[in-house]
Amino acid sequence: MIIFNLLRRYPIIPAFIYTVLIFTAVFAPFISPQDPYKNSLSDRNVPPIGIEGSKSQYILGTDPIGRDMLSRLIYGARVSAMVMFFSIMIGITIGTTLGLISGYFGGHVDEIIMRFVDIWAALPFIMIALVVVLIYGQSFKILVALLALMSWPGPVRLVRAQTLSLKNMDYIASAKICGASNFRIIAKHLLPGTWNIVLVAATLNIGSIILTEATLSFLGVGIPPPTPAWGAMTASGRNYLNDAWWVAFMPGMCIFLVVVAGNFIGDWLRDRLDPSLRQLN
């Protein structure tokens, strides 16, 4: 009963999933059982342990050119973690900055920023990504830039709404009376009051970032091969679902677990940090 209450009250399982993700991303070279790039055509499509025809050295089987699935999943976790971290950090920084400026100054500044956000959010991101990759080619930097540009509009609206509420508080009026500059008011007084919103927005963006990265990799415009990426691995396995289902299932399950865990953690943080939604029981 105690364990059930803990699992209901705290996101223990989602936190464990992200702990495993971060651990494997950091220590991938040390825990990977084999070289993720090494192929062996004699060991093509070896099934996972427990299925007839499996081999002990391939716990999760091999892909169509004989590369170890477990090793590639471990290195794929590193790629996903790096893409997720840099994309969210850049997107949240841009979104928070614009949200603070829009909410604090209001007027024409607010109107221009918010209309730009509306236009940007309406653009077909996947088509833009395809065009950009077609022009500049596939690379890690291009992918991170695309995902960051996708993720910034959401935080703008959230931070702006919070800023509109905070800027009418007495402590902001006192700071203005004392002669504080606009930059100091925004950086020292308004920004700390939006941290809860920023943190929730960041965690809720994790799922969409991972899914978008997987989608772009699936379409062939994400991480360039032969670098292991979960989306690209899923795409490469879709033609072998009848004979080697694990090639697509394993990375697909990793994507599913990470996205669901991120959504659970984001919902929990929102309930904890927002007084109107905080759960007492």
Side-chain angles (χ1 to χ4, degrees):
M1 190 66 179
I2 296 177
I3 296 177
F4 174 78
N5 289 333
L6 287 174
L7 293 176
R8 186 177 65 87
R9 190 175 182 86
Y10 302 102
I12 296 176
I13 296 178
F16 174 76
I17 291 174
Y18 272 90
T19 300
V20 172
L21 174 68
I22 295 172
F23 179 83
T24 54
V26 173
F27 298 103
F30 303 100
I31 63 177
S32 177
Q34 300 189 40
D35 184 349
Y37 301 101
K38 182 180 179 181
N39 60 69
S40 174
L41 295 180
S42 61
D43 292 328
R44 297 172 59 246
N45 292 336
V46 173
I49 291 294
I51 300 177
E52 184 180 356
S54 62
K55 296 183 179 181
S56 59
Q57 66 266 37
Y58 302 121
I59 298 176
L60 296 182
T62 62
D63 66 6
I65 60 174
R67 294 175 296 190
D68 181 46
M69 286 294 298
L70 177 58
S71 299
R72 291 185 64 77
L73 287 175
I74 290 173
Y75 273 83
R78 166 175 282 193
V79 173
S80 295
M82 292 175 62
V83 169
M84 178 178 64
F85 176 78
F86 289 114
S87 301
I88 288 178
M89 288 298 296
I90 296 172
I92 286 294
T93 300
I94 296 173
T96 300
T97 302
L98 292 178
L100 287 168
I101 294 173
S102 178
Y104 179 73
F105 289 104
H108 294 299
V109 174
D110 179 40
E111 188 70 19
I112 292 172
I113 292 176
M114 294 313 298
R115 295 295 75 76
F116 181 70
V117 170
D118 292 338
I119 294 172
W120 189 265
L123 294 176
F125 173 75
I126 298 296
M127 184 170 293
I128 292 175
L130 291 171
V131 173
V132 170
V133 171
L134 182 64
I135 296 174
Y136 296 102
Q138 291 178 262
S139 71
F140 179 82
K141 293 181 180 179
I142 292 294
L143 179 61
V144 169
L146 288 171
L147 293 175
L149 291 175
M150 181 209 72
S151 64
W152 69 267
V156 173
R157 293 189 175 93
L158 295 174
V159 173
R160 172 183 175 271
Q162 184 78 349
T163 303
L164 288 174
S165 174
L166 292 176
K167 74 174 186 178
N168 296 319
M169 297 291 184
D170 291 341
Y171 73 94
I172 300 296
S174 299
K176 292 180 179 178
I177 293 173
C178 292
S181 64
N182 290 331
F183 177 80
R184 182 176 180 83
I185 291 174
I186 292 174
K188 297 293 184 180
H189 300 290
L190 290 176
L191 180 59
T194 63
W195 275 124
N196 60 329
I197 298 294
V198 171
L199 184 59
V200 172
T203 52
L204 290 176
N205 265 347
I206 290 175
S208 60
I209 289 292
I210 293 293
L211 280 177
T212 305
E213 183 271 325
T215 301
L216 293 178
S217 296
F218 187 88
L219 294 175
V221 296
I223 300 295
T227 303
W230 290 345
M233 293 170 66
T234 304
S236 66
R238 71 181 185 274
N239 295 324
Y240 301 90
L241 291 176
N242 291 330
D243 302 323
W245 55 267
W246 55 89
V247 178
F249 175 81
M250 298 299 180
M253 181 56 65
C254 290
I255 295 171
F256 170 77
L257 291 175
V258 170
V259 171
V260 171
N263 290 338
F264 271 110
I265 292 175
D267 288 340
W268 180 81
L269 286 174
R270 180 180 58 187
D271 293 341
R272 290 290 171 177
L273 298 177
D274 189 340
S276 63
L277 297 175
R278 185 174 296 129
Q279 296 176 353
L280 300 177
N281 298 316

